Amino acid sequence: MTICESFLRDHAGLIHDTDHLLSTRGWSSHWLTRHILGSHLDDMYHLVHHWCPQIPWRHLPQAAALAAKHLDRWDEVPRCSGFLFRRRATPDQPCVIDDISAR
C-alpha cells in the first residue's frame, strides 16, 4: 500500500473539511479488495484511529462501539461500501470512488 492509495481511500474529498468528524471516511469491502489495497479488517474504524491513535487496532471495534453509543453525531461519519464498486449487500452506501467524485 502506498501513501497515495491510503490517502485516496481514506481522505480524498474530505481533507478540506475542518470538522474532524467529517475529515476521514470509513469503508468496508470484499476481503480480496482489502488485501490488494493493504487494509486491515474493514476500515470502518478509521475515524477512531485518528482520534485515538494509541488504541491498538484489535480494540478499535470496541472503541467505535463506545463512540457510536455516546457521540450524538456518529451517524454523520462518512461511510462507504466497496472501493471501485458499490457492494450489493449495502446498496444505500456509495463506494469510495463514487463518494470522492460526489464531493
Side-chain angles (χ1 to χ4, degrees):
M1 170 187 64
T2 66
I3 291 173
C4 182
E5 290 167 332
S6 176
F7 173 80
L8 179 66
R9 70 170 190 251
D10 298 333
H11 300 286
L14 303 171
I15 201 75
H16 65 280
D17 205 312
T18 57
D19 185 339
H20 291 293
L21 189 69
L22 306 176
S23 65
T24 188
R25 76 175 45 83
W27 67 286
S28 64
S29 191
H30 186 271
W31 68 268
L32 184 57
T33 304
R34 290 192 312 268
H35 177 73
I36 292 169
L37 293 176
S39 180
H40 53 84
L41 303 173
D42 278 343
D43 216 355
M44 297 306 279
Y45 313 116
H46 193 207
L47 181 65
V48 175
H49 161 72
H50 275 273
W51 284 346
C52 306
Q54 70 276 19
I55 296 175
W57 66 269
R58 65 185 175 279
H59 295 303
L60 289 176
Q62 295 92 335
L66 285 171
K69 183 176 179 182
H70 296 289
L71 183 64
D72 293 336
R73 296 181 57 212
W74 184 252
D75 289 338
E76 295 177 37
V77 174
R79 291 183 176 82
C80 296
S81 180
F83 185 77
L84 295 172
F85 305 103
R86 189 174 296 157
R87 295 177 77 185
R88 283 179 267 167
T90 50
D92 57 322
Q93 291 182 338
C95 67
V96 172
I97 299 299
D98 287 345
D99 189 54
I100 293 169
S101 60
R103 294 176 188 274

